[in-house]
């Protein structure tokens, strides 16, 4: 029985679309290894099958849908730990068996029941979360579990796979009869073996089974003393296992009851199989949905493993640049149809050259199959000025890895996978990706390296258009250098006219000049460290690679006379070009160093400004505390004086006042004086009122983009936190022991975290972000000293003005060891114990020497 749903039709059509991607390119770029690694993160066989069959799509809508599913699944795994697919089974074989009418075993039925129960739980959970995770919920809501199947299996079979007595009335009756027959049989056998007269004939007084019949062990020399049927004998022949004639009928009754039970169980299993067959189409849809969900969650787990980011996916637009013009304009011609025909090829060199509108931006990108601890990240990007990049540089310098990284990450993005590009990624959805990488010469077909490359390039040129990505390794290699360079330039011209986005590697110097002078073509290079005679694996776009042959020869000790003679044989133009490249590179490094120093100075100034504001706030707080204490003391003295005056007034009031002009008139004067004194005291008391409470502290706000390590203020929580991750649409902030994901506009930048400065020389690694605090609690002194020294070095290189070292109070041994180390450390100018609100004696604040 064949059943096609709208979803099935969509899957079939999608597979047809996906099959357009070049299979050789998938193999050359090792996409199959990505699929194998993805399969390891699946939960059951159908998910693994889907992972190994995954193909990139050239439909931008489908690719964006897949990326949205992966993004939601990552968030879902982080927020909802109870959402999982583990334990489900691929039920397609069982369903096919049921459709054929072959009875299913109890174990198969248990698998079906558990899988349907998990599917039902997933469907219910996702239906509640549909607003938060709409794309994943759309897949889960395809699940409509037939409760009849779950209930029928649960009614007939228990969790151990045993058919229950309640599965049918007949089975319940048969099993009661079976238990009765079994009990009578064993009772009769026990009486036989326990009879004293039979004890001398038995090897031992036990009842056992042979060939499904109950027997007793009779000594061979007493054969016939107990009448019965012999079913077996021991290996030595000393024991015969006989079924006494007295229990043959009972054994037969028990065996007949067993056969009746087996027949009824077969009938029950056949009935359950018919139930499965009746819901076969529904179960198939459920299993397919579970497979899709398993693949989605596998993508999310693999993305977390790679610490990958979601790439932005772009359609194509066109830009135009006429020869001799440096101005690039974007006409924003978005294709209305996915398979839009590319504009006709341009053959007239004076006609307009059009940019295909392709986008590649892979910042700090890593090849996902290389060790993340050793691989050097690269920046690979296109600009409005170019869509063909020509990479030059030494062998083993990383040119081929750069090509493979670009191609593989593009395929991963179009397959709905997140990609390892730490600082962001954006790519166009290419209709085709072609790669000619590696030496595939064929002895059987008599193809040399050059012939093999040319064969593949011919095939690529037959299919590549403005919506294709082409990757060419060692373009024009394997033949005469002059002819190879000319052929390589002609191929690049052809790709340029067709507006094919291309990345190529070469050793030919002629192509550097071609790339420099041709619109929409850019040079790039992988660098080489002359001092260490090793590549740095750093890719620089905009500068061609230098020829380091003479420098390396000198470094290795080749006689100067030989090197000078070789240099004399090189054309002056080539030497001049190399000298110019070296000067451009030095100027670029100087500019980068100046920029890095400017940014470092800005960060130090911001940190110092924040520190000064913090200290001024502390000074103001201390001043207000002193004034408040003094005014409180003055207020207390005034209160005591007022009390004494009140007592004097009471005594005077008790004295009889004489007429005016009499001696008692002095009392009236006293009262006037007391009233004036009381008014003075009231004015002074007003002056001694406590200071009003200080205004709520306003966090220092710094302009600029958020980065990992920044200190931010969260107004909604009235609390400060540290940025631990910056995503395209939100930032993750650690506030105390909690982590929150917030929109960028909901936080305010308060203090710049330490940033590793950009190094002018690519051979010097950038320091990691050390943060403003180091927590040493729990470490022994020896380990603490190593960690403290490493942290101080990194903090100094990052340009931090001061750091907080948390060692705790405890016995004071760790605190003393920290301060002893700081006292003689060359990078520390001074240190102090933490203030009360900084942690007191559990914290030491160290001020670093400024560079």
């Amino acid at each position: 029985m064949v059943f096609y749903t709208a979803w099935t039709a969509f899957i079939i059509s999608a597979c047809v679309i996906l099959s357009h991607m070049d299979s050789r390119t998938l193999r050359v770029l090792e996409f199959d290894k990505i699929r194998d690694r993805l399969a390891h993160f699946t939960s059951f066989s159908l998910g693994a099958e889907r992972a190994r069959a995954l193909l990139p799509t050239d439909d931008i809508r489908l690719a964006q849908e897949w990326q949205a599913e992966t993004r939601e699944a990552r968030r879902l795994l982080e927020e909802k730990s109870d959402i999982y697919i583990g334990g489900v089974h691929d039920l397609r074989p069982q369903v096919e068996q049921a459709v054929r009418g072959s009875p299913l075993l109890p174990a198969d039925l248990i698998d079906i029941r558990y899988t349907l129960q998990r599917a039902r739980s997933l469907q219910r959970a996702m239906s509640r979360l549909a607003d938060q995770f709409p794309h994943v919920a759309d897949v889960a809501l395809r699940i409509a579990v037939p409760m009849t199947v779950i209930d029928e299996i649960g009614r007939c079979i228990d969790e151990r796979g045993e058919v229950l007595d309640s599965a049918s009335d007949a089975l319940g009756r048969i099993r009661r009869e079976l238990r009765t027959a079994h009990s009578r049989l064993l009772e009769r056998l026990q009486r036989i073996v326990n009879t004293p007269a039979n004890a001398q004939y038995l090897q031992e007084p036990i009842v056992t089974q042979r060939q499904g019949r109950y027997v007793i062990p009779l000594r061979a020399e007493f054969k016939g003393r107990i009448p019965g049927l012999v079913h077996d004998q021991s290996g030595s022949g000393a024991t015969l296992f006989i079924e006494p004639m007295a229990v043959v009928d009972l054994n037969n009754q028990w065996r007949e009851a067993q056969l009746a039970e087996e027949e009824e169980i077969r009938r029950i299993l056949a009935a359950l199989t018919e139930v499965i067959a009746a819901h076969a189409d529904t179960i198939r849809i459920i299993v397919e949905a579970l497979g899709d969900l398993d693949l989605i969650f596998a993508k999310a787990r693999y993305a977390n493993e790679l610490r990958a980011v979601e790439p932005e996916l772009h359609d194509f637009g066109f830009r135009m640049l006429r020869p001799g013009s440096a101005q690039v304009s974007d006409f924003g011609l978005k294709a209305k149809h996915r398979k839009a025909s590319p504009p006709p090829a341009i053959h007239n060199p004076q006609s307009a050259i059009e940019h295909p509108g392709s986008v590649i931006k892979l910042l700090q990108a890593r090849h996902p199959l290389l060790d993340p601890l050793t691989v050097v990240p690269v920046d690979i990007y296109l600009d409005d000025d170019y869509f063909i990049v020509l990479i030059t540089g030494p062998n083993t310098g990383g040119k081929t890895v750069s090509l493979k990284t670009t191609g593989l990450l593009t395929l991963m993005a179009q397959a709905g996978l997140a990609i390892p590009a730490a600082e962001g990624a954006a790519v166009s959805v290419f209709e085709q990706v072609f790669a000619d990488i590696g030496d595939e010469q064929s002895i059987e077909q008599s193809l040399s390296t050059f012939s093999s490359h040319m064969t593949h390039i011919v095939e690529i040129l037959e299919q590549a258009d403005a919506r294709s990505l082409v990757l060419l390794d060692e373009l024009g290699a394997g033949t005469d250098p002059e002819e190879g360079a000319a052929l390589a330039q002609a191929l690049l011209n052809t790709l340029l006219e067709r507006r094919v986005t291309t990345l190529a590697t070469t050793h030919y110097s002629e192509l550097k000049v071609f790339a420099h002078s041709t619109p929409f073509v850019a040079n790039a290079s992988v660098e080489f460290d002359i001092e260490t005679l090793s590549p740095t694996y750093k890719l620089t776009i905009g500068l061609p690679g230098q020829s380091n042959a003479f420098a390396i020869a000198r470094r290795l000790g080749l006689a100067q006379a030989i090197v000078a003679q070789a240099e004399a044989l090189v054309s002056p133009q080539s030497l001049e070009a190399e000298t110019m490249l070296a000067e451009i590179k030095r100027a670029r490094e100087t500019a980068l160093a100046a920029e890095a120093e400017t940014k470092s100075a800005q960060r130090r100034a911001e940190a110092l400004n924040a520190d000064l504001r913090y200290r001024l706030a502390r000074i103001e707080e201390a001043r207000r505390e002193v004034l408040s204490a003094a005014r409180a003391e003055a207020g207390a003295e005034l209160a005591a004086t007022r009390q004494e005056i009140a007592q004097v007034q009471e005594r005077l009031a008790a004295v009889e006042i004489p007429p005016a002009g009499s001696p008692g008139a002095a009392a009236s004067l006293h009262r006037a004086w007391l009233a004036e004194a009381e008014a003075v005291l009231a004015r002074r008391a007003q002056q001694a009122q406590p200071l009003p409470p200080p205004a709520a502290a306003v966090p220092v706000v710094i302009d600029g983009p958020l980065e990992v390590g920044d200190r931010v203020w969260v107004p909604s929580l009235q609390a400060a936190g540290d940025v631990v991750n910056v995503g395209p649409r939100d930032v993750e902030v650690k506030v105390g022991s909690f982590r929150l994901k917030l929109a960028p506009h909901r936080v305010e930048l308060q203090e710049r975290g330490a940033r590793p400065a950009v190094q002018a020389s690519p051979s010097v690694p950038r320091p990691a972000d050390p943060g403003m605090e180091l927590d040493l609690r729990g470490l022994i002194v020896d380990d603490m000293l190593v960690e403290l020294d490493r942290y101080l070095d990194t903090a100094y290189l990052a340009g931090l003005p001061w750091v907080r070292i948390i060692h705790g109070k405890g016995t004071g041994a760790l605190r003393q060891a920290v301060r002893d180390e700081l006292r003689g450390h060359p990078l520390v100018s001074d240190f102090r114990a933490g203030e009360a609100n900084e942690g007191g004696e559990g914290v030491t604040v160290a001020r670093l020497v400024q560079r």
Side-chain angles (χ1 to χ4, degrees):
M1 179 168 60
V2 180
F3 180 77
Y4 292 101
T5 63
W7 179 256
T8 307
F10 171 76
I11 291 296
I12 294 174
S13 62
C15 291
V16 173
I17 293 173
L18 301 181
S19 64
H20 289 164
M21 195 61 68
D22 183 58
S23 59
R24 180 179 174 277
T25 296
L26 297 178
R27 175 174 53 82
V28 168
L29 295 179
E30 301 178 290
F31 189 71
D32 55 332
K33 293 184 179 179
I34 295 294
R35 292 186 293 199
D36 285 339
R37 294 196 177 188
L38 178 63
H40 289 311
F41 290 93
T42 58
S43 300
F44 75 118
S45 59
L46 180 56
E49 180 184 317
R50 291 283 170 84
R52 292 190 172 94
L54 179 66
L55 289 172
T57 179
D58 58 358
D59 186 336
I60 186 170
R61 292 168 299 177
L62 186 57
Q64 289 172 339
E65 178 81 12
W66 288 350
Q67 287 292 347
E69 290 172 351
T70 304
R71 176 179 66 251
E72 289 181 4
R74 294 181 74 176
R75 191 158 53 91
L76 190 60
L77 291 176
E78 181 180 348
E79 298 177 9
K80 306 291 181 181
S81 59
D82 57 332
I83 303 293
Y84 65 96
I85 302 182
V88 302
H89 301 272
D90 182 2
L91 303 180
R92 292 176 300 174
Q94 291 91 326
V95 170
E96 294 306 319
Q97 181 179 340
V99 170
R100 291 195 306 269
S102 178
L104 296 172
L105 297 176
D108 295 329
L109 294 167
I110 289 298
D111 289 345
I112 292 173
R113 182 170 182 264
Y114 180 79
T115 300
L116 295 182
Q117 286 176 326
R118 283 296 312 138
R120 183 166 174 262
S121 298
L122 277 171
Q123 189 272 340
R124 285 183 169 182
M126 292 311 305
S127 64
R128 293 192 298 269
L129 301 171
D131 292 338
Q132 299 173 254
F133 309 97
H135 294 86
V136 178
D138 283 347
V139 180
L141 293 178
R142 286 159 35 200
I143 296 172
V145 177
M147 293 305 299
T148 303
V149 177
I150 295 178
D151 294 341
E152 279 300 299
I153 295 175
R155 184 181 65 82
C156 297
I157 302 175
D158 65 14
E159 297 296 333
R160 299 187 304 274
E162 300 290 337
V163 180
L164 297 169
D165 293 357
S166 58
S168 72
D169 293 338
L171 182 62
R173 175 180 53 78
I174 291 171
R175 283 184 170 170
R176 287 193 296 272
E177 294 174 356
L178 180 63
R179 286 191 287 269
T180 300
H182 186 257
S183 177
R184 290 175 180 175
L185 173 61
L186 290 182
E187 288 176 2
R188 187 65 179 272
L189 286 170
Q190 286 296 334
R191 286 201 298 269
I192 293 174
V193 298
N194 292 330
T195 300
N198 295 331
Q200 58 182 323
Y201 308 132
L202 299 176
Q203 196 69 259
E204 53 183 321
I206 62 171
V207 176
T208 185
Q209 279 187 317
R210 288 294 186 274
Q211 300 175 5
R213 309 282 289 189
Y214 279 103
V215 296
I216 59 176
L218 181 69
R219 298 168 65 178
E221 61 268 26
F222 296 112
K223 181 180 179 181
R225 295 299 180 91
I226 299 177
L229 304 175
V230 178
H231 287 281
D232 199 3
Q233 68 177 5
S234 64
S236 63
T239 303
L240 300 176
F241 296 95
I242 70 166
E243 179 184 358
M245 294 301 295
V247 298
V248 169
D249 288 341
L250 292 176
N251 244 330
N252 289 341
Q253 292 174 12
W254 176 66
R255 182 57 183 157
E256 288 171 1
Q258 282 183 311
L259 295 174
E261 178 193 33
E262 293 172 2
E263 180 60 29
E264 181 61 18
I265 288 176
R266 279 194 294 270
R267 190 195 66 76
I268 293 170
L269 295 179
L272 291 174
T273 301
E274 290 179 1
V275 173
I276 301 301
H279 294 86
D281 297 328
T282 302
I283 296 175
R284 286 193 190 100
I285 294 173
I286 292 172
V287 173
E288 295 289 340
L290 290 174
D292 291 340
L293 286 172
D294 194 21
L295 176 60
I296 291 170
F297 285 114
K299 289 179 179 180
R301 285 188 284 267
Y302 188 32
N304 292 337
E305 175 75 12
L306 290 176
R307 302 192 305 279
V309 300
E310 178 187 354
E312 297 179 12
L313 300 179
H314 294 268
D315 206 344
F316 285 76
F318 294 93
R319 305 169 181 85
M320 183 173 289
L321 175 69
R322 294 190 177 277
S325 171
Q327 183 178 1
V328 179
S329 60
D330 187 348
F331 291 91
L333 299 179
K334 300 297 182 181
K336 293 184 179 180
H337 304 286
R338 186 177 56 81
K339 290 288 186 178
S341 299
I346 300 170
H347 299 287
N348 182 358
Q350 296 304 316
S351 64
I353 300 173
E354 294 180 342
H355 193 297
S358 53
V359 175
I360 293 178
K361 185 177 73 172
L362 305 171
L363 304 182
Q364 292 298 287
R366 295 180 288 108
H367 194 289
L369 299 177
L370 298 180
D371 185 354
L373 299 179
T374 59
V375 65
V376 178
V378 294
D379 292 342
I380 305 168
Y381 50 88
L382 301 180
D383 203 347
D384 289 346
D385 297 336
Y386 57 87
F387 59 88
I388 294 180
V389 178
L390 193 63
I391 306 174
T392 53
N395 288 326
T396 70
K399 300 191 303 296
T400 302
V401 172
S402 296
L403 286 188
K404 286 190 170 184
T405 299
T406 303
L408 185 55
L409 296 192
T410 299
L411 295 176
M412 290 175 65
Q414 295 183 209
L417 295 166
I419 59 179
E423 295 186 6
V427 292
S428 292
V429 176
F430 294 95
E431 291 183 1
Q432 283 281 19
V433 178
F434 299 101
D436 178 52
I437 298 175
D439 183 5
E440 296 190 12
Q441 59 179 315
S442 171
I443 297 176
E444 294 179 356
Q445 299 179 14
S446 301
L447 293 179
S448 64
T449 299
F450 177 76
S451 300
S452 175
H453 281 298
M454 280 299 103
T455 300
H456 297 147
I457 290 174
V458 168
E459 295 174 354
I460 290 172
L461 291 177
E462 289 175 351
Q463 303 176 65
D465 59 22
R467 290 178 174 268
S468 301
L469 172 64
V470 172
L471 309 170
L472 301 174
D473 192 25
E474 299 296 347
L475 187 59
T479 187
D480 176 75
E482 185 175 353
E483 294 180 355
L487 187 58
Q489 183 171 333
L491 289 171
L492 290 174
N493 264 323
T494 301
L495 294 168
L496 178 64
E497 292 173 355
R498 296 186 183 181
R499 302 187 311 283
V500 179
T501 305
T502 305
L503 276 74
T505 68
T506 185
H507 284 289
Y508 294 133
S509 298
E510 295 87 342
L511 297 183
K512 301 177 187 178
V513 179
F514 167 78
H516 178 72
S517 60
T518 305
F520 288 120
V521 183
N523 275 304
S525 60
V526 288
E527 298 179 355
F528 189 85
D529 191 335
I530 299 298
E531 297 300 322
T532 62
L533 297 181
S534 61
T536 65
Y537 304 105
K538 293 285 187 181
L539 178 68
T540 303
I541 295 180
L543 287 179
Q546 289 182 258
S547 174
N548 298 301
F550 295 148
I552 293 174
R554 287 193 183 93
R555 187 79 173 78
L556 294 176
L558 187 64
Q560 177 61 32
I562 299 175
V563 176
Q565 182 179 358
E567 289 177 334
L569 296 175
V570 178
S571 66
Q573 294 84 357
S574 298
L575 287 177
E576 184 179 352
E578 290 296 330
T579 303
M580 181 181 64
L581 286 175
E583 291 176 356
I584 293 173
K585 182 179 179 181
R586 284 194 294 271
R588 184 175 184 273
E589 290 178 347
T590 302
L592 287 175
E595 181 185 5
E597 180 59 31
T598 301
K599 290 182 178 179
S600 177
Q602 180 182 1
R603 287 193 297 270
R604 289 197 299 270
E606 290 175 353
L608 183 60
N609 184 35
D611 182 43
L612 290 175
R613 293 193 185 192
Y614 170 77
R615 291 180 177 276
L616 286 174
R618 293 296 309 279
I619 292 172
E620 175 63 16
E621 182 182 351
R623 185 184 72 84
R624 296 179 72 88
E625 289 177 356
V626 170
L627 290 176
S628 296
R631 295 191 178 193
E633 183 178 356
E637 293 177 358
L638 288 172
T641 304
R642 183 178 289 111
Q643 184 177 4
E644 292 178 3
I645 292 174
Q647 293 173 355
V648 172
Q649 286 177 323
E650 290 177 359
R651 289 197 297 270
L652 288 175
V655 177
E656 182 178 355
I657 301 176
S662 65
S668 298
L669 295 176
H670 289 166
R671 290 191 182 92
W673 177 80
L674 287 173
E676 183 179 355
E678 186 174 8
V680 172
L681 288 174
R683 287 196 298 272
R684 292 186 179 179
Q686 181 65 31
Q687 294 173 356
Q689 289 293 323
L691 289 174
V698 178
V700 180
V701 178
I702 304 173
D703 292 333
L706 295 174
E707 299 182 36
V708 174
D710 288 344
R711 189 75 172 170
V712 297
W713 177 259
V714 185
S716 60
L717 300 179
Q718 288 295 297
D722 297 312
V723 176
V724 296
N725 187 36
V726 179
R729 294 182 179 84
D730 54 24
V731 293
E732 187 173 355
V733 180
K734 183 177 181 183
V735 180
S737 60
F738 297 96
R739 288 181 178 236
L740 308 170
K741 282 193 174 181
L742 302 167
H745 68 272
R746 295 183 59 190
V747 299
E748 298 173 351
L749 181 58
Q750 189 176 10
E751 179 181 334
R752 286 289 186 190
R755 303 281 188 276
V758 178
Q759 301 298 315
S761 173
S763 60
V764 180
R766 298 184 298 177
D769 185 350
M772 300 295 292
E773 292 183 347
L774 173 64
D775 193 342
L776 299 174
R777 290 175 293 185
L779 298 179
I780 62 174
V781 173
D782 291 341
D783 293 343
M784 176 275 295
L785 293 175
V786 174
E787 188 67 25
L788 177 61
D789 190 59
R790 183 186 300 114
Y791 173 75
L792 291 174
D793 289 345
T794 308
Y796 172 76
L797 291 175
L800 300 183
W802 49 269
V803 294
R804 297 187 184 94
I805 301 167
I806 303 173
H807 41 65
K809 298 179 181 178
T811 62
L814 194 63
R815 176 181 64 239
Q816 188 61 40
V818 167
R819 295 179 179 175
D820 289 344
E821 178 68 13
L822 295 177
R823 189 171 288 108
H825 201 286
L827 300 180
V828 178
S829 61
D830 60 78
F831 63 90
R832 61 176 176 80
E835 302 290 346
N837 63 345
E838 293 177 322
E841 287 298 324
V843 172
T844 297
V845 179
R847 183 173 295 278
L848 302 182
V849 175
Q850 296 301 301
R851 292 188 291 174

